[in-house]
DNA sequence: TGGGAGTAGTGACAAATATCAATTATATTT
DNA sequence: AAATATAATTGATATTTGTCACTACTCCCA
């Protein structure tokens, strides 16, 4: 192990990887930010030292300072409830933002915990806001990402309000699969970083129900599951089982006819 | 009936009521927008002719042009599903915005329908965005409102994921009560503009269950209900029944200790 | 001013999922 | 590497809520 001093001299947080060299650049900053604009943004972004499994990025009730972008690993958002339970409100994979729900009240309504070792970019919000006033493209990007989050929460509402246990798990797995695929990973084979408990909680189901559904899916030949390791054999069928989701179907939205 | 020509000369949409004279000013635009800034904002806001019960502001799949603020009446947002059903994603009361979920994809993922005659301000988004680039306070306000919506969707997620039928209806009624109260109406007596069907749909319950819960609440002396007319007798108990909600408890968030 | 469509309320029953209990597998700790 | 805690699975049973059937009420609107 190198002497304490050396690691202090070159702390991890200083070993910056430029946004432009980040594999998530297209996901995190899809709008055309270039050259000088990007450099100025990078000046305010802080790369935090990797967070270890179980570490918190923030707790419910903490005052709001920054939003965060996941670079690697995965983060769970949850609201602790009075009874000592929690409600999981989301999982954040690389390229995704968290903390947007804290802007209004300048306080984090939920806690964020690493499900595995993860690295995260911290974007101090005040500085980001100041910079955005000069670079409107940043505002536009933030607003688009927030709109997306609202949209996705609506999808989750449909899931919780209308879908059966089977549809919920299918929709969940399909969502995870799509998100990994978009980031260049396999859509059909991945490790779930969250426990069955977390999945059940997020989907509004008991753990046991989640387990049973995994078993059923495996018996049906839809996928193979061994603990956290998932291999999907029939992605199309999985998507079908997940049921209707609002969004583009080909180039049109579905069911305009019914509305 | 006056001749066609006359009504064309002075269309309702021209009879503008200035934002500064609107009773919802403090809710809709709580940030300090004043003088010239406000005038410029008003120039782009269009007051639409009142929409009648059943009329749509937009349909799922429509391309996105504007966000809307409710001035009076109430609007229901819902996602039509393939099976011809719908999932109600929200109710919008005076002073509340809708359409924020459409910004990302420049398409409305859901439909918006008036539950009763309503009047609505239309804010053309492109113009709003251009103006926001000059008046950062507008951007800040929009971002705050979007953050609030994300936060509220999380609360709804807890409701759908964790609460019993009884807790759901109690939470719903308490929410409606609070929102009316904030707008200067009675917190304990109001008319529900939405049907039992819509309520059940929104809460993830069957209509019959909603009916039964209303009956139970009435039998318990919690409230009186006659169709859409509600009189709450014990607001505190209603709140208690609604169960935990993330948010400020006094000046602190609850359950930091557990997290 | 009916008459019909939609809306609301109630009971009986069914189904889905939660809960409880027990077992096994897997991590984590010492 | 054993010991202990945690997580996952499975079966049996309980409970909640949904579904179906029927009745009553209301509000349009022709």
């Amino acid at each position: 192990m190198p002497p304490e001093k050396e690691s202090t001299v070159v702390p991890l947080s200083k070993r910056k990887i430029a946004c432009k060299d980040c594999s998530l650049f297209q996901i995190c900053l899809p709008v055309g930010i270039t050259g000088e604009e990007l450099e100025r943004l990078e000046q305010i972004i802080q790369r935090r030292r990797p967070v270890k499994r179980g570490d918190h990025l923030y707790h419910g009730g903490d005052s709001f300072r920054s939003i965060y972008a996941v670079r690697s690993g995965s983060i769970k958002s949850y609201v602790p409830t009075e009874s000592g339970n929690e409600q999981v409100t989301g999982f954040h994979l690389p390229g995704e933002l968290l903390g947007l729900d804290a802007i209004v009240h300048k306080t984090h309504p939920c806690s964020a915990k690493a499900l595995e070792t993860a690295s995260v970019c911290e974007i101090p919000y005040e500085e980001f806001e100041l910079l955005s006033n000069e670079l409107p493209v940043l505002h536009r990007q933030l607003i688009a990402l927030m709109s997306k989050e609202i949209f996705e929460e609506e999808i989750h509402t449909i899931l919780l309000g209308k879908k059966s246990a089977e549809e919920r798990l299918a929709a969940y797995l399909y969502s995870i699969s799509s998100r990994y695929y978009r980031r260049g990973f396999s859509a059909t084979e991945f490790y779930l970083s969250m426990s069955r408990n977390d999945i059940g909680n997020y989907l509004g189901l008991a753990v046991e129900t989640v387990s049973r559904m995994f078993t059923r899916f495996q018996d049906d030949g839809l996928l193979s599951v061994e603990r956290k390791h998932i291999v999907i054999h029939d992605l199309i069928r999985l998507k079908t089982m997940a049921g209707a989701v609002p969004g583009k179907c080909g180039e049109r939205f579905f069911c305009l006819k019914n509305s």
Side-chain angles (χ1 to χ4, degrees), chain A:
Chain A
M1 201 183 178
E4 180 77 7
K5 200 175 166 204
E6 198 169 316
S7 67
T8 310
V9 171
V10 189
L12 277 169
S13 60
K14 286 276 154 67
R15 293 205 230 129
K16 290 203 170 188
I17 294 167
C19 284
K20 67 172 173 8
D21 297 327
C22 177
S23 64
L24 298 165
F25 183 54
Q26 283 307 315
I27 294 159
C28 194
L29 294 168
V31 291
I33 299 178
T34 48
E36 196 225 355
E37 294 176 345
L38 185 56
E39 247 168 64
R40 294 188 61 188
L41 175 61
E42 293 195 329
Q43 274 164 23
I44 69 164
I45 295 183
Q46 297 166 15
R47 271 83 186 174
R48 291 167 58 112
R49 143 190 309 89
V51 286
K52 286 200 306 289
R53 180 185 150 88
D55 284 353
H56 277 84
L57 244 41
Y58 49 79
H59 288 88
D62 283 0
S63 77
F64 169 65
R65 274 184 234 300
S66 304
I67 52 183
Y68 299 87
V70 181
R71 287 211 296 144
S72 67
S74 49
I75 309 285
K76 166 177 99 170
S77 285
Y78 66 96
V79 180
T81 64
E82 270 166 351
S83 46
N85 296 322
E86 56 185 56
Q87 169 67 47
V88 175
T89 53
F91 301 107
H92 310 274
L93 304 185
E96 296 171 353
L97 252 53
L98 61 156
L100 299 175
D101 50 356
I103 298 173
V104 234
H105 298 128
K106 310 242 170 290
T107 310
H108 286 285
C110 58
S111 303
K113 181 154 113 178
L115 289 168
E116 61 195 315
T117 302
S119 79
V120 169
C121 297
E122 177 176 356
I123 305 155
Y125 189 69
E126 260 185 37
E127 299 173 45
F128 179 81
E129 207 179 22
L130 287 173
L131 185 59
S132 299
N133 290 340
E134 291 175 55
L135 307 176
V137 70
L138 289 184
H139 259 148
R140 239 187 294 141
Q141 170 67 359
L142 178 64
I143 289 170
L145 286 171
M146 293 182 89
S147 174
K148 191 173 173 216
E149 183 143 341
I150 293 169
F151 171 70
E152 277 161 7
E153 299 259 17
E154 281 168 6
I155 293 176
H156 194 226
T157 294
I158 298 175
L159 183 142
L160 292 174
K162 286 264 169 306
K163 295 189 193 247
S164 68
E166 184 175 289
E167 289 172 317
R168 290 183 202 195
L169 187 60
Y172 179 73
L173 292 173
Y174 189 75
S175 158
I176 296 284
S177 161
S178 307
R179 286 149 78 188
Y180 275 132
Y181 183 68
R182 174 140 190 249
R183 279 146 194 84
F185 298 108
S186 167
T188 53
E189 180 168 6
F190 47 83
Y191 282 85
L192 292 172
S193 56
M194 65 293 294
S195 69
R196 299 283 191 271
N197 231 308
D198 285 339
I199 296 173
N201 189 310
Y202 180 65
L203 298 178
L205 299 171
V207 211
E208 295 92 331
T209 307
V210 174
S211 244
R212 281 185 246 273
M213 290 302 146
F214 268 120
T215 308
R216 186 194 290 182
F217 285 176
Q218 182 157 249
D219 291 350
D220 288 357
L222 188 65
L223 48 75
S224 299
V225 49
E226 210 192 319
R227 294 259 143 173
K228 314 220 169 219
H229 181 221
I230 309 284
V231 181
I232 296 170
H233 300 311
D234 192 341
L235 203 55
I236 308 293
R237 192 146 66 95
L238 186 70
K239 187 178 184 178
T240 310
M241 289 176 72
V245 158
K248 290 186 182 179
C249 256
E251 280 310 299
R252 288 193 68 73
F253 269 64
F254 68 80
C255 45
L256 290 181
K257 48 197 179 297
N258 301 332
S259 54

